[in-house]
Amino acid sequence: MAAGRALVVVLALSWANALPTPSELDFVENVRDVGMPRIVSGWEAEEGQIPYQLSLRMVARNGAVFSCGATIIHSEWGLTAAHCTADRVTIVIRAGGRALSRPQLLFETTDYYNHPEYDESLTRVQPHDIGVIKFNQVLEFNDLVQPIRLQASAHMNKNYDGIRLQTSGWGRTWTNGVGPEVLNWVYLLGTSNERCRAAFGGSTIVVNSTICASNYNVTSQSTCQGDSGGPLVVIDVDGVPSEVGVTSFVSGTGCHTGFPAGFIRPGHYHRWLTEVTGVHFNWDPPSTTPRPPTTPEEHSEEDDDASSSSSSSEEDD
């Protein structure tokens, strides 16, 4: 089916915690690299590689258990997707560790705040799919537990088309596949909102506060069920990682089918985040305005040294 005609249907990426059926275990894609499960065609994380990643297990009012991701953004706060925490009665959080069975921290909370424009009574994908979780303790940061910086409001509408991004999680390794024990990550390429909207047939779900990303170098690379609420990260203009997206949705045809995945831009929500948490998460990106050309009198050997040692890696400008 042509991309322009496909898919106004999208899947939220949280998933009920159930034992895999034999048919799920029979996927060739899941077993082709024995001992190397994938987020979807990604790689296993090293210990401490992604210290801001959190694993969530949420219990709904009917007793069902769901899995999601999240990120540490402060010693007392985590960031996730609103559909992960909506109508949940308790949240179990794992932090600091690549294996779910060996977290550095394991604790529970019941406090979360979803964006007021996200309607928790609806079960369909919608914009403003963002929320924060209040920890019931103050995290002590170390090599395995660290916060990540959020996208600056100055970059909230930045076009990341063609920019290399990274996402991670313990979500399923293929559509209807199994979830791994070890944290996985994968590179994705930013996709303009125009191209993303066209891929979903002009869907109104793709709005200014949406950021989309497609496969990096393998068509199947993507997020999948269980990755919701996790991070989409860029190496920013100052060389520091920033979370530019919160994992929200994929195509209704599946996780591995080559259509863009959708994320929520936290840069749009700084005012609300500060109102809820009392924490100022915004920051001012360095100016990228080029210096005026020097005159011959102003040119010096010092300028030559600075020029030869400067970095040219600002690929996301």
Side-chain angles (χ1 to χ4, degrees), residues 98-279:
R98 64 196 287 264
L100 289 174
S101 60
R102 298 189 300 275
Q104 188 172 77
L105 297 172
L106 178 63
F107 56 97
E108 187 174 6
T109 185
T110 58
D111 295 331
Y112 69 86
Y113 304 86
N114 285 340
H115 193 271
E117 292 185 66
Y118 183 86
D119 189 344
E120 292 193 18
S121 68
L122 301 177
T123 57
R124 65 174 182 267
V125 175
Q126 54 186 298
H128 312 297
D129 186 12
I130 189 170
V132 289
I133 302 167
K134 179 70 164 64
F135 305 148
N136 64 356
Q137 62 185 64
V138 178
L139 303 188
E140 293 186 10
F141 296 144
N142 54 46
D143 289 345
L144 300 181
V145 179
Q146 289 286 329
I148 187 167
R149 184 176 68 181
L150 297 184
Q151 178 188 43
S153 60
H155 289 169
M156 65 180 179
N157 292 320
K158 185 171 182 175
N159 182 7
Y160 293 93
D161 192 51
I163 300 298
R164 190 178 75 176
L165 308 168
Q166 178 181 305
T167 189
S168 51
W170 285 275
R172 297 189 180 194
T173 58
W174 202 261
T175 305
N176 298 321
V178 296
E181 158 73 3
V182 174
L183 178 65
N184 278 231
W185 67 277
V186 72
Y187 287 133
L188 298 176
L189 279 182
T191 302
S192 71
N193 279 21
E194 290 75 18
R195 290 200 294 128
C196 185
R197 192 175 295 113
F200 290 107
S203 172
T204 57
I205 291 171
V206 181
V207 296
N208 288 341
S209 57
T210 307
I211 177 173
C212 294
S214 301
N215 61 285
Y216 180 64
N217 61 357
V218 177
T219 305
S220 58
Q221 289 168 330
S222 186
T223 53
C224 204
Q225 281 87 358
D227 290 322
S228 273
L232 184 69
V233 175
V234 71
I235 303 301
D236 226 319
V237 292
D238 57 356
V240 177
S242 295
E243 182 174 354
V244 297
V246 177
T247 306
S248 181
F249 63 87
V250 293
S251 162
T253 62
C255 307
H256 64 280
T257 54
F259 286 88
F263 306 78
I264 307 301
R265 298 173 180 251
H268 276 256
Y269 300 97
H270 279 287
R271 179 178 298 179
W272 172 74
L273 288 168
T274 299
E275 289 175 355
V276 171
T277 67
V279 179

Side-chain angles (χ1 to χ4, degrees), residues 289-300 303:
T289 303
R291 293 173 57 190
T294 57
T295 65
E297 291 77 12
E298 294 173 322
H299 187 79
S300 66
D303 291 330

Side-chain angles (χ1 to χ4, degrees), residues 50-56 68-73 77-79 93-96 107 133 135 139 170 230:
I50 309 174
Y52 47 81
Q53 180 84 44
L54 295 173
S55 168
L56 307 182
C68 271
T71 53
I72 302 169
I73 58 172
W77 294 95
L79 185 72
I93 301 173
R94 288 173 170 83
F107 56 97
I133 302 167
F135 305 148
L139 303 188
W170 285 275

